[in-house]
Amino acid sequence: MIHLQQLTLRRGEKDILRGVDLHVNQGEQWTLLGRNGCGKSTVLEIINGYLFPTSGTVDVLGSRYGQVDVREIRKKIGYISPSLIEKLTLRDPVWEIVVGGALAYLRIYEEVPDALRERAHDELERVGLRALAAQPFGTLSQGERKKVLLARTMMAEPQLLILDEPCAGLDLYERERFLDALSGLSAQNLSMLYVTHHIEEIVPLFTHVALMSEGQIVASGPKQAVLTPERLKAAYDLPISIYWQDSRPWIRVGEEASI
Ligand SMILES: Nc1ncnc2c1ncn2[C@@H]1O[C@H](COP(=O)(O)OP(=O)(O)OP(=O)(O)O)[C@@H](O)[C@H]1O
């Protein structure tokens, strides 16, 4: 699904990426963790074809970037970036925002076929928001808006879902509802790459973790193998205790590493 090999990205005097390797296979659901500024969003922008590495190779959904029209690949990728909400029109009804995902439009200016309108309502149903379909997008809570983005993204039937800190700014309740909605969407033919600062967001849905530090992936693989106190300490420069409950990790910052 995603194969990044030895990616580097240099901007001026700064090496933003310093040899990133990442291999995401079909049916795997990944989270990408790392401190502020370590290069996570840059990696996502490269995968979406908005940034090009200085060196290294990028293969996404079987195509090598540089040899294909990335706009074609982008149609198969659902990308929920922090700036997406700002591009949408707050007075548009929720169902129209969702329909826009199928047409790759930010606003709808044409008659929407009934079948598409129905699909938008079905996607809203999947994330538990059908009742809000006619409401202006701007009247929804932050958590509801994030779930609308999810429904919108699924309209394009992506094979890859890339989410950059989708739960940022959500309260505990909204965060859990969002993660439930995301878990409800998971399917064998959909892979995810989810960036977060919060280890407890690595719900059972997620199978793999990549840990980034200073422009490199310092560990990657099945989540239980990667999320060890030693590795987290190295990545975050803090003593961190971790314990698992129902395949979900919880952390505590502190010296006593044996919870
Ligand atoms: N155009 C640019 N020119 C110079 N430096 C840049 C440019 N774009 C990004 N950077 C730097 O690259 C580094 C990585 O940024 P990036 O946004 O990928 O980090 P991140 O891990 O997503 O951070 P955060 O968790 O804070 O969102 C940062 O230090 C940032 O300042």
Side-chain angles (χ1 to χ4, degrees):
M1 299 296 271
I2 303 174
H3 296 283
L4 309 180
Q5 294 195 63
Q6 284 302 301
L7 291 192
T8 68
L9 184 75
R10 196 170 172 83
R11 284 278 181 272
E13 290 299 295
K14 187 167 180 182
D15 289 314
I16 296 175
L17 302 182
R18 302 187 300 126
V20 166
D21 284 301
L22 182 67
H23 301 280
V24 173
N25 296 307
Q26 184 156 10
E28 294 175 352
Q29 317 298 346
W30 283 71
T31 48
L32 178 57
L33 296 174
R35 287 175 58 183
N36 287 125
C38 71
K40 303 179 297 298
S41 300
T42 304
V43 169
L44 300 193
E45 291 283 303
I46 289 176
I47 294 169
N48 280 284
Y50 293 120
L51 270 180
F52 291 90
T54 308
S55 64
T57 57
V58 181
D59 292 273
V60 177
L61 298 171
S63 297
R64 173 147 304 180
Y65 285 11
Q67 299 173 2
V68 284
D69 182 349
V70 287
R71 288 170 302 184
E72 290 305 309
I73 309 298
R74 250 184 237 145
K75 287 180 188 165
K76 302 177 205 166
I77 303 177
Y79 184 27
I80 299 189
S81 67
S83 60
L84 179 56
I85 284 184
E86 291 154 27
K87 295 180 188 145
L88 300 167
T89 307
L90 295 177
R91 63 177 182 278
D92 284 348
V94 164
W95 73 267
E96 271 193 30
I97 298 274
V98 175
V99 163
L103 305 170
Y105 293 166
L106 291 172
R107 286 206 84 186
I108 307 295
Y109 294 102
E110 57 196 59
E111 191 65 30
V112 175
D114 286 347
L116 212 49
R117 189 187 291 250
E118 265 171 45
R119 268 204 55 221
H121 283 80
D122 289 346
E123 289 300 342
L124 283 167
E125 174 93 51
R126 283 173 86 188
V127 298
L129 291 183
R130 194 185 181 100
L132 303 184
Q135 231 169 273
F137 183 58
T139 63
L140 270 54
S141 74
Q142 296 303 322
E144 288 163 346
R145 289 182 201 191
K146 296 283 174 70
K147 283 187 280 187
V148 170
L149 295 191
L150 210 50
R152 181 181 196 277
T153 301
M154 295 308 287
M155 286 293 283
E157 300 181 330
Q159 294 171 34
L160 186 60
L161 197 53
I162 294 185
L163 306 108
D164 195 354
E165 295 187 51
C167 289
L170 301 193
D171 70 28
L172 222 51
Y173 177 86
E174 298 267 26
R175 178 189 82 183
E176 293 300 308
R177 296 290 73 78
F178 182 87
L179 290 168
D180 281 349
L182 193 62
S183 301
L185 299 180
S186 75
Q188 195 54 36
N189 57 354
L190 177 69
S191 287
M192 297 186 198
L193 180 57
Y194 180 105
V195 165
T196 180
H197 283 298
H198 301 286
I199 288 168
E200 64 275 14
E201 286 174 22
I202 305 176
V203 288
L205 153 77
F206 294 108
T207 56
H208 290 68
V209 171
L211 203 51
M212 253 189 116
S213 178
E214 297 179 358
Q216 285 180 310
I217 304 254
V218 290
S220 63
K223 61 183 176 182
Q224 302 247 11
V226 171
L227 294 174
T228 62
E230 299 74 29
R231 289 208 163 107
L232 291 171
K233 182 171 188 204
Y236 289 95
D237 204 17
L238 277 173
I240 291 173
S241 312
I242 182 158
Y243 70 99
W244 294 83
Q245 201 170 35
D246 302 328
S247 222
R248 187 169 177 181
W250 299 89
I251 63 152
R252 199 169 86 180
V253 176
E255 289 294 347
E256 326 104 86
S258 56
I259 294 182

